[in-house]
Amino acid sequence: KSLNTEGTKFILSKWFSAESNPKSPHKDEKRDQIKPKVEEVKNAEVAKDAPSENAEEDLDSDDDDFPAYDMSNDTKVDPQKTKKILYLREVIQELVNPESDYIEDCFGLLPDLCRRHLKHEDPGLVPQLIKGILYSQNRFDTQDWVKLRETAAVAVLETRPVAAAKSLVPAFYDKNFPMDTRFGILTWLTNAAEGIQIQYRGKAEFFDYIKTCVRGLCGGAGWAKLEF
């Protein structure tokens, strides 16, 4: 009995001492270690749910993978930025370019360039000029387009009558050209005849020009046998 009594007293003393000191230093230490970890988990969850400040940039980041579309060909040339065209070969380059914005400018320059340069140039340039004039298009619906085109063609004819006529006459029968262009060829040949007569009166160029036009347009009929 004495042993049981002593054991009971010992157990009760331990129990009362625990009740009187509920805070154990070991428990406080463990609690202090766990608390920062809990705070880290909470902060991570808040950061995960919060919207990103760079969300819009992240969405647009995929656009960098696509190259920018070049729309320079769709933009009309600034009228303040004029291109200087000084030579016949530059005129030819513009006339044969379907996307050129300087066709009307070339038509206006041709009379002076023909008078000063074409008569001294290689006759091989004449077919190229005629081809450029024939294939040119009124891209900007210019009101004076027909007149400008006619003036340019007549200037080439008056400077190099035979070479120009040899290029224009076959084009009259070319079905690839519209009717207004084909009738325009007849007008050009007729209007150039007066200037050619004045410049080449009594010279072989005038007679060769008439023969080229008549023989070509009349198909070698009796008109071609006329002597001028």
Side-chain angles (χ1 to χ4, degrees):
K1 291 182 179 178
S2 60
L3 291 173
N4 293 335
T5 303
E6 293 296 329
T8 303
K9 291 180 179 180
F10 177 79
I11 294 172
L12 290 174
S13 65
K14 291 291 184 180
W15 183 79
F16 281 115
S17 64
E19 289 294 326
S20 60
N21 299 306
K23 295 183 179 180
S24 174
H26 297 289
K27 291 182 179 180
D28 292 340
E29 184 178 352
K30 291 181 179 180
R31 187 181 297 111
D32 293 338
Q33 293 177 355
I34 294 173
K35 186 176 180 180
K37 295 183 180 180
V38 173
E39 293 296 332
E40 291 179 3
V41 173
K42 290 182 178 179
N43 293 335
E45 292 179 352
V46 172
K48 181 179 179 181
D49 297 335
S52 175
E53 295 179 357
N54 299 325
E56 185 175 354
E57 295 180 1
D58 295 339
L59 292 175
D60 295 337
S61 62
D62 294 339
D63 296 340
D64 298 336
D65 298 335
F66 297 94
Y69 182 72
D70 183 11
M71 299 185 67
S72 58
N73 292 332
D74 297 333
T75 304
K76 192 178 185 304
V77 175
D78 187 349
Q80 299 298 329
K81 299 180 181 179
T82 57
K83 181 178 181 179
K84 292 184 179 181
I85 301 174
L86 304 175
Y87 304 100
L88 285 169
R89 287 172 175 79
E90 293 177 342
V91 171
I92 294 173
Q93 291 177 358
E94 295 297 330
L95 290 179
V96 299
N97 180 11
E99 301 297 329
S100 174
D101 296 323
Y102 299 96
I103 299 297
E104 291 89 341
D105 296 336
C106 291
F107 286 164
L109 291 171
L110 267 177
D112 181 64
L113 290 176
C114 288
R115 184 178 64 256
R116 293 189 296 111
H117 299 295
L118 185 57
K119 59 183 178 181
H120 305 297
E121 286 280 359
D122 182 1
L125 290 180
V126 176
Q128 299 180 45
L129 282 170
I130 295 298
K131 180 180 179 180
I133 294 173
L134 289 173
Y135 282 96
S136 59
Q137 297 179 359
N138 189 4
R139 293 182 59 210
F140 304 114
D141 295 329
T142 305
Q143 294 182 354
D144 298 332
W145 167 265
V146 176
K147 186 63 179 177
L148 289 171
R149 192 186 194 192
E150 177 183 330
T151 302
V154 170
V156 178
L157 280 164
E158 289 179 348
T159 308
R160 291 281 189 170
V162 178
K166 287 182 178 180
S167 298
L168 283 172
V169 170
F172 175 75
Y173 294 102
D174 191 340
K175 295 181 180 180
N176 292 322
F177 293 113
M179 290 303 299
D180 60 339
T181 298
R182 297 164 71 181
F183 281 119
I185 291 174
L186 295 178
T187 303
W188 305 342
L189 293 171
T190 303
N191 292 344
E194 183 177 356
I196 294 171
Q197 181 182 8
I198 295 173
Q199 294 186 54
Y200 297 99
R201 179 177 298 175
K203 297 181 180 179
E205 284 84 351
F206 176 69
F207 302 110
D208 291 340
Y209 174 76
I210 297 297
K211 289 180 180 180
T212 301
C213 293
V214 172
R215 288 177 179 177
L217 296 175
C218 297
W223 288 90
K225 299 179 181 179
L226 293 177
E227 295 293 337
F228 297 95

